[in-house]
Amino acid sequence: MRLTVDGTEHELDVEPDMPLLWLLRDELGLHGPKYGCGIAACGACTVHLDGLAVRACQITAEEVEGAEVTTIEGLGTPDAPHPVQQAWIEEQVAQCGYCQSGQIMQAASLLALNPAPTDAEIDAAMSGNLCRCASYPRIRAAIRRAIQSEGA
Ligand code: FES
Ligand code: FES
């Protein structure tokens, strides 16, 4: 199968029903997307599929044939972080960090679709991303900061 991940095209020989999360982590060595629940209930595995946030544990290799996937590794760089990543740093959001790549990918997808969400829209968009360290107030603050930094 062919798949573009973080701007690089790959040709992979994998089982059609392999979850995208396995493909990213085990075949491509991209460990930013995390395994949390495996049943679309935590958001730790969130990546972008053709620009939209999806749960990589619930999508199979055959479903992403020819698609473009972006992981946290491809969202920005240390020298040029995505505005959401920059806001996360400035708000010092992470505690243990396990959920945070999923949180950032979900927030980046939200702001790409809706550059000026209301608090209710932020809460609705982020409600499927769980954080056992309860960093939710800092997550909201970082999203607000990213919105302001983009002048929305
Ligand atoms: S591991 Fe995919 S949603 Fe929890
Ligand atoms: S920072 Fe620890 S689970 Fe979210």
Side-chain angles (χ1 to χ4, degrees):
M1 66 167 294
R2 287 178 190 274
L3 177 66
T4 300
V5 181
D6 296 337
T8 300
E9 192 171 310
H10 298 275
E11 206 166 308
L12 297 156
D13 183 12
V14 296
E15 293 296 325
D17 62 351
M18 173 183 272
L20 175 60
L21 182 58
W22 273 225
L23 189 160
L24 294 172
R25 291 180 58 87
D26 296 345
E27 299 294 323
L28 299 180
L30 295 168
H31 296 148
K34 297 289 190 283
Y35 176 79
C37 64
I39 55 169
C42 77
C45 64
T46 303
V47 298
H48 294 177
L49 179 62
D50 293 332
L52 294 178
V54 295
R55 306 302 190 228
C57 68
Q58 293 298 296
I59 294 179
T60 61
E62 66 183 342
E63 290 173 317
V64 297
E65 168 75 48
E68 285 201 27
V69 171
T70 304
T71 74
I72 189 80
E73 284 92 340
L75 191 66
T77 68
D79 290 337
H82 185 281
V84 171
Q85 291 173 311
Q86 183 64 37
W88 243 248
I89 294 166
E90 290 170 7
E91 291 290 339
Q92 290 289 289
V93 175
Q95 190 162 320
C96 82
Y98 197 84
C99 72
Q100 296 294 333
S101 72
Q103 304 279 4
I104 289 171
M105 296 309 284
Q106 185 70 35
S109 176
L110 164 65
L111 298 190
L113 293 169
N114 179 1
T118 64
D119 286 342
E121 287 170 334
I122 292 172
D123 288 348
M126 301 303 295
S127 64
N129 287 76
L130 306 184
C131 175
R132 295 196 69 174
C133 302
S135 64
Y136 302 113
R138 296 193 300 281
I139 288 170
R140 290 192 194 98
I143 293 172
R144 283 266 151 251
R145 183 184 281 265
I147 293 166
Q148 283 165 9
S149 75
E150 291 298 280

